[in-house]
C-alpha cells in the first residue's frame, strides 16, 4: 500500500517535471510562408532551433506562448548583399537589421571579402552574434592579392593561383563568387578571366553575383556581361543592387530586364537583387574619379593628382561623372556620409563643401572638391541619381529579390544611407501597403524563400515543419521604414517579434540578451 502510494507520488512528480512539448508557440498568426502562397491562419510550434508544427490550433504545452493576435508571421528575412563585417564585431546584435525582421546577413559582395575566409568565420563564430552570417568570396580581393591594382591581364600562372583561391574560398564555406567590376581592381578584369573563376565556384555549387562594371551609360552591356559569365561559366548569375544611374540613362531598365527575360527563356539562371531607394552609396573616389586614375593604389592616385596634366584629365572626367552619372547632374545630389579626416563633413553635400572651401558652386568646382576630398583621405557618399520609375520596374520583376547593400550601424554615428535601417520594411510599407505594387506574399517571398533558394539554404526561408525557426512577426498595417536620408538613425516600425534559430531576439521594442546567430556555410565547406 505504502509502496503503491510512493509509486503514485513518483509518477505524478515525474509528470509534473516532464517538459512541455514545445519551447515556443506563436499563436494566432497570419502565416505568410515565404513561398508566395496566400496567407493562412495558424499557430507555429518550435522546439530547439526548429519549426516542428504548423497547425490551426496548437494546444499542447509550451514553455512559452506568444499570442501574436492576427499579425503576420513570416520567415526571417535573408539579406543577400550586406557589408556587415565592418560592424558585426562592434555591434554583434546587428540591431538595425534584426529590428526589420532580418535574420541572416550575407557578406562578401562587390568582389570584396575577407581572404582567407576560414579564420574570419572562426572569429565571427567566436563572437556571440544575433543574426546568422554567411559570405561570398570576392574576385576583386583575390585579384588584388595575386596581381595587385594593376590594369593588365593575368598570366597563366596568376590565373591558376586565383583559381586556387576561389577553390579555397568555397572550401572555407563561401556561397559563391562575387565581383565588383566597377571597382579597382575588379575594373581591370577581362570578362574571360571572370568566367574562368566563376567556373570554379560553379563546379563547387556556388553562384556568381556581380556589382557590374557600369550601372550608367554601360548598364545594358554590363547586364549582358553578367549574363555571359553565368552562361559561359555554367552557374547561376545575379545582378546585384540593380539600378540605372544618371538621368541620361533612365528608362534603360526596360532593356536590362528584357535581357534577363531572354536569358532565362534560353535556360540561363539569371536573377537580380535590389534595394528600394533612388540613391546609391559608395566611396566618393570610386563614384566620382575614373578607375584608371586609381590604378596602382592610393600612392599612384596622389601622384596623378599632383601632376597638372593628369590632374586636368581626372577633373574633366570627374565633372562628367557629376554631370551625367553618380553626381545626378547637381553637386547637391552628392552627400558625404562619413569622412574619417573630418567627421563634421558627414551630412553635407558637395555644393556645401565646395562653398565651405571658398569656391562658387559649379560642376567643375565640385569636381575640384571631390579630388580634394580624395586627397585628404576620402569620404563615403550618397548619390541621388536613380529614377523611381526604374526602381519600380525592377522591383516588380519576378526575378528580383531584396538586398540592402547596407551595413551594421553604430546608432547615431555618421550619416549613413537609410537602406541599412529600412530596406525590408520600406518594401513592405511603401511598395506593398501604400503603392500596392506587390502583394504582401510576393514581397515576403523576395526577402525569404527566393534568396534562400538562390543560396541553396535548404532549411531556411520558408515557414514549414522541419525548417530552422528564423521568424519575423509584423503588423502589415503599420510596418514601415522611419529612416530618412536626413535622419537615417531610426529603427523600423511595425515589427513586433523576431526569432533566430528558435530564440526570441527582439520583442516589446527591444533586443533580448539572446545571441543565437550562427555562421552558415556554403555547399563545398570542408
Ligand atoms: Zn555594390
Amino acid at each position: 500500500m505504502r509502496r503503491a502510494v510512493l509509486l503514485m507520488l513518483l509518477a505524478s512528480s515525474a509528470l509534473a517535471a516532464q517538459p512541455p512539448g514545445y519551447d515556443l508557440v506563436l499563436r494566432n498568426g497570419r502565416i505568410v510562408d515565404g513561398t508566395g502562397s496566400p496567407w493562412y491562419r495558424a499557430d507555429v510550434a518550435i522546439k530547439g532551433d526548429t519549426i516542428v508544427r504548423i497547425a490551426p490550433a496548437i494546444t499542447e504545452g509550451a514553455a512559452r506562448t506568444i499570442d501574436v493576435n492576427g499579425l503576420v508571421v513570416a520567415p526571417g528575412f535573408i539579406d543577400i548583399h550586406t557589408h556587415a563585417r565592418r560592424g558585426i564585431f562592434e555591434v554583434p546584435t546587428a540591431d538595425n537589421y534584426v529590428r526589420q525582421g532580418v535574420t541572416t546577413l550575407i557578406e562578401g559582395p562587390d568582389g570584396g571579402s575577407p581572404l582567407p575566409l576560414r579564420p574570419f568565420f572562426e572569429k565571427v563564430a567566436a563572437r556571440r552574434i544575433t543574426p546568422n552570417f554567411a559570405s561570398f568570396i570576392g574576385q576583386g580581393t583575390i585579384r588584388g592579392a595575386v596581381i595587385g591594382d594593376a590594369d593588365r591581364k593575368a598570366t597563366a600562372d596568376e590565373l591558376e593561383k586565383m583559381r586556387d583561391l576561389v577553390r579555397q574560398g568555397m572550401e572555407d564555406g563561401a556561397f559563391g563568387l562575387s565581383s565588383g567590376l566597377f571597382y579597382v581592381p575588379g575594373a581591370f578584369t577581362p570578362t574571360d578571366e571572370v568566367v574562368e573563376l566563376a567556373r570554379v565556384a560553379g563546379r563547387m555549387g556556388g553562384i556568381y553575383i556581380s556589382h557590374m562594371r557600369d550601372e550608367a551609360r554601360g548598364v545594358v552591356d554590363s547586364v549582358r556581361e553578367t549574363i555571359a559569365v553565368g552562361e559561359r561559366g555554367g552557374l547561376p548569375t545575379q545582378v546585384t543592387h540593380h539600378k540605372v544611374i544618371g538621368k541620361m540613362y533612365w528608362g534603360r531598365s526596360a532593356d536590362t530586364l528584357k535581357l534577363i527575360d531572354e536569358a532565362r527563356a534560353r535556360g540561363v539562371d539569371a536573377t537580380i537583387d535590389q534595394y528600394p531607394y533612388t540613391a546609391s552609396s559608395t566611396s566618393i573616389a570610386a563614384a566620382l574619379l575614373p578607375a584608371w586614375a586609381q590604378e596602382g593604389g592610393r600612392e599612384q592616385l596622389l601622384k596623378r593628382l599632383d601632376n597638372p596634366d593628369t590632374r586636368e584629365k581626372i577633373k574633366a572626367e570627374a565633372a562628367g561623372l557629376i554631370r551625367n552619372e553618380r553626381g545626378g547632374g547637381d553637386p547637391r545630389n552628392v552627400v558625404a556620409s562619413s569622412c574619417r579626416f573630418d567627421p563634421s563633413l558627414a551630412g553635407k553635400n558637395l555644393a556645401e563643401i565646395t562653398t565651405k572651401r571658398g569656391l562658387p558652386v559649379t560642376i567643375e568646382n565640385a569636381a575640384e572638391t571631390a579630388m580634394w576630398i580624395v586627397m585628404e583621405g576620402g569620404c563615403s557618399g550618397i548619390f541621388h541619381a536613380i529614377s523611381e520609375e526604374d526602381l519600380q520596374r525592377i522591383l516588380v520583376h519576378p526575378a528580383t529579390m531584396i538586398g540592402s547593400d547596407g551595413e551594421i550601424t553604430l546608432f547615431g554615428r555618421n550619416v549613413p544611407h537609410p537602406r541599412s535601417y529600412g530596406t525590408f520594411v520600406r518594401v513592405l510599407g511603401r511598395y506593398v501597403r501604400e503603392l500596392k505594387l506587390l502583394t504582401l506574399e510576393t514581397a515576403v517571398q523576395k526577402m525569404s524563400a527566393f534568396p534562400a533558394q538562390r543560396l541553396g539554404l535548404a532549411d531556411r526561408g520558408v515557414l514549414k515543419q522541419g525548417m530552422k525557426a528564423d521568424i519575423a512577426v509584423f503588423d502589415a498595417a503599420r510596418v514601415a521604414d522611419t529612416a530618412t536620408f536626413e535622419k537615417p538613425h531610426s529603427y523600423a516600425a511595425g515589427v513586433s517579434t523576431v526569432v533566430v534559430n528558435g530564440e526570441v531576439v527582439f520583442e516589446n521594442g527591444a533586443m533580448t540578451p539572446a545571441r543565437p546567430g550562427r555562421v552558415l556555410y556554403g555547399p563545398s565547406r570542408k
Side-chain angles (χ1 to χ4, degrees):
M1 174 71 184
R2 270 215 345 247
R3 220 175 130 191
V5 169
L6 194 66
L7 275 174
M8 266 169 67
L9 278 172
L10 274 173
S12 70
S13 73
L15 206 67
Q18 186 156 27
Y22 305 121
D23 294 317
L24 175 64
V25 170
L26 301 174
R27 190 152 286 160
N28 299 320
R30 270 198 250 168
I31 310 294
V32 175
D33 71 1
T35 64
S37 294
W39 67 266
Y40 64 101
R41 264 182 216 288
D43 299 347
V44 178
I46 294 159
K47 200 170 170 63
D49 64 1
T50 304
I51 297 169
V52 290
R53 198 167 162 225
I54 302 181
I58 297 175
T59 51
E60 294 96 323
R64 185 161 180 220
T65 299
I66 301 173
D67 188 343
V68 304
N69 203 12
L71 297 183
V72 171
V73 177
F77 306 140
I78 296 167
D79 192 339
I80 198 162
H81 185 138
T82 80
H83 298 275
R85 75 173 183 267
R86 296 178 199 152
I88 193 71
F89 298 104
E90 210 175 350
V91 187
T93 45
D95 303 32
N96 56 299
Y97 277 115
V98 171
R99 284 166 176 264
Q100 295 181 63
V102 176
T103 53
T104 298
L105 301 171
I106 316 295
E107 241 291 355
D110 298 338
S113 72
L115 184 74
L117 272 174
R118 191 170 299 256
F120 170 76
F121 283 146
E122 279 163 11
K123 237 176 97 187
V124 175
R127 189 87 170 96
R128 291 172 55 237
I129 61 174
T130 299
N132 301 308
F133 194 98
S135 189
F136 296 109
I137 184 81
Q139 178 269 334
T141 304
I142 287 178
R143 193 175 219 266
V146 174
I147 303 180
D149 286 342
D151 184 1
R152 63 169 175 81
K153 278 166 78 171
T155 65
D157 195 42
E158 287 165 340
L159 188 59
E160 202 42 53
K161 276 195 189 122
M162 292 192 286
R163 276 203 202 93
D164 278 343
L165 287 173
V166 175
R167 196 171 301 125
Q168 187 199 323
M170 292 301 294
E171 287 178 357
D172 287 351
F175 279 87
L177 179 72
S178 82
S179 75
L181 304 182
F182 170 71
Y183 296 108
V184 172
F188 305 139
T189 316
T191 308
D192 287 350
E193 182 183 313
V194 183
V195 170
E196 286 302 316
L197 301 188
R199 205 167 269 148
V200 176
R203 270 200 305 265
M204 300 176 78
I207 70 165
Y208 173 68
I209 184 165
S210 181
H211 177 150
M212 302 189 300
R213 218 175 270 282
D214 189 341
E215 295 176 307
R217 186 173 50 197
V219 68
V220 174
D221 281 340
S222 291
V223 169
R224 226 172 248 131
E225 180 182 33
T226 309
I227 291 168
V229 171
E231 194 159 20
R232 294 173 48 206
L235 78 174
T237 183
Q238 180 148 315
V239 176
T240 201
H241 53 48
H242 190 25
K243 59 174 102 63
V244 178
I245 287 183
K247 220 172 197 157
M248 288 172 74
Y249 316 114
W250 286 356
R252 290 194 184 176
S253 60
D255 304 319
T256 61
L257 295 176
K258 194 163 163 262
L259 286 175
I260 295 285
D261 287 336
E262 287 166 1
R264 295 189 60 80
R266 67 175 183 271
V268 184
D269 186 357
T271 50
I272 297 163
D273 66 76
Q274 181 197 33
Y275 52 79
Y277 292 90
T278 54
S280 60
S281 181
T282 190
S283 76
I284 289 199
L288 301 183
L289 265 50
W292 62 261
Q294 301 172 66
E295 187 191 356
R298 181 167 170 79
E299 222 171 281
Q300 294 299 313
L301 169 64
L302 294 181
K303 261 190 203 159
R304 290 182 190 111
L305 286 171
D306 260 349
N307 173 316
D309 286 350
T310 42
R311 187 187 172 85
E312 272 315 298
K313 270 188 211 146
I314 294 170
K315 184 177 165 182
E317 289 198 34
L321 292 169
I322 293 170
R323 194 172 285 118
N324 301 324
E325 300 205 3
R326 270 192 168 70
D330 186 330
R332 282 173 303 186
N333 285 333
V334 176
V335 184
S337 55
S338 75
C339 308
R340 216 173 294 165
F341 72 91
D342 181 358
S344 76
L345 293 180
K348 295 206 163 45
N349 69 47
L350 206 51
E352 292 167 325
I353 301 170
T354 301
T355 303
K356 203 171 158 236
R357 297 185 60 238
L359 299 171
V361 178
T362 62
I363 285 190
E364 278 64 34
N365 285 341
E368 277 290 346
T369 300
M371 293 191 298
W372 171 80
I373 285 172
V374 172
M375 288 173 76
E376 291 294 307
C379 303
S380 56
I382 293 169
F383 308 87
H384 296 267
I386 301 168
S387 79
E388 181 71 26
E389 196 192 332
D390 282 317
L391 186 165
Q392 294 190 8
R393 190 183 287 129
I394 295 167
L395 180 63
V396 300
H397 193 279
T400 301
M401 65 188 75
I402 309 303
S404 71
D405 193 11
E407 60 190 337
I408 295 174
T409 58
L410 189 70
F411 195 85
R413 183 174 59 189
N414 295 325
V415 188
H417 194 300
R419 64 194 182 189
S420 296
Y421 285 93
T423 289
F424 293 84
V425 285
R426 183 174 172 80
V427 171
L428 296 170
R430 177 174 162 80
Y431 293 99
V432 173
R433 186 179 60 244
E434 289 172 15
L435 300 178
K436 299 185 169 48
L437 226 55
L438 298 167
T439 65
L440 178 61
E441 289 85 349
T442 299
V444 168
Q445 180 256 350
K446 287 172 178 287
M447 304 172 179
S448 55
F450 191 10
Q453 168 242 71
R454 197 66 185 148
L455 294 162
L457 284 174
D459 56 355
R460 295 178 199 270
V462 176
L463 292 186
K464 205 174 111 182
Q465 189 179 317
M467 304 291 271
K468 293 283 181 252
D470 291 347
I471 296 173
V473 180
F474 61 89
D475 182 349
R478 279 202 325 116
V479 66
D481 58 314
T482 65
T484 62
F485 286 99
E486 292 72 30
K487 290 198 167 134
H489 294 286
S490 186
Y491 292 126
V495 176
S496 57
T497 307
V498 180
V499 175
V500 175
N501 293 317
E503 293 190 43
V504 176
V505 295
F506 174 76
E507 64 180 337
N508 303 321
M511 303 292 294
T512 72
R515 305 264 192 94
R518 296 175 191 158
V519 175
L520 306 181
Y521 296 111
S524 287
R525 163 85 170 178
K526 270 193 182 156

